Amino acid sequence: MITSPAPCVIAIDGPAASGKSSVARALARRLGFAYVNSGAFYRVATACVLARGIDPTDADAVAAALGGAEVIAGLRAENGGESFLQLDGHAPTEEALRAAAVNAGVSAVASVPAVRALLTARLRALAEETAPASGFPGTVMEGRDIGSAVFPHTPFKFYIDASAEVRAQRRAAQGGGQDEIAARDRTDSTRRASPLLIAEDAHVIDSSRLTIDGVVGEIIGRLKLKGFAIAS
Ligand code: DC
């Protein structure tokens, strides 16, 4: 049983390659929660912009293109309740979402307020409507602004960090296209609309020397302190 305000959302924020995706996915599996990767949503938006030949730094063109896009967001039951997003029929593969051009353009696309408004509404609907309707008792959602802007009232906020060296190593080990993570972090942290920041009430975990299980264990310990009943 979980005692928390509805909907139950566990927010996991942090910079690029901090390990938050692996942690969020493992935590969701452990709790039987839906798992929403909001970064993938911004990546799909970027792939859609690039496919139309639009410059990701042209904010007006990006807003105009995505403002009229057909948006389908959901949770894949066959995949443990992982989120997906389709924009105008574009559903890029995992590999395409990690391409160098997407890495290079995603921070610019994510800084456009109209894009954030569009995707934030979808992210909220997934946790508030889709997850409960699909039988999930809650949602683990990861990103940059989940605890600060998407679900600022959730009592369950975590910020996962790691040293610059460890993050660079993790990204290199993951493969994918070239990714200037320091430049992305700078843009993500300094943009005007919902920048990456540590929410005041977030519990910060430095994952540099921890395994995924170690971080998940620390989160579960905190959740228990906050009233979660979790079988050990
Ligand atoms: O988590 P990721 O590295 O796949 O995210 C890709 C980009 O998406 C990131 O550089 C900034 C943006 N993003 C965002 O602005 N807000 C979120 N909640 C999640 C990601």
Side-chain angles (χ1 to χ4, degrees), residues 12-17 20-21 37-43 46 97-98 102-103 105-111 116 120 123 141-146 150 171 179 181 183-185 187-188 191 193-196:
I12 302 199
D13 290 301
K20 63 188 184 308
S21 296
N37 178 347
S38 68
F41 279 32
Y42 288 94
R43 288 175 178 275
T46 306
L97 292 183
R98 299 276 153 205
V102 174
N103 290 337
V106 67
S107 289
V109 171
S111 68
R116 302 206 70 78
T120 294
L123 293 168
M141 190 175 292
E142 57 135 318
R144 300 294 188 288
D145 64 338
I146 308 306
V150 183
R171 186 46 37 101
D179 190 3
I181 57 177
R184 276 207 290 133
D185 288 346
T187 311
D188 296 341
R191 69 180 177 223
S194 309
L196 168 66

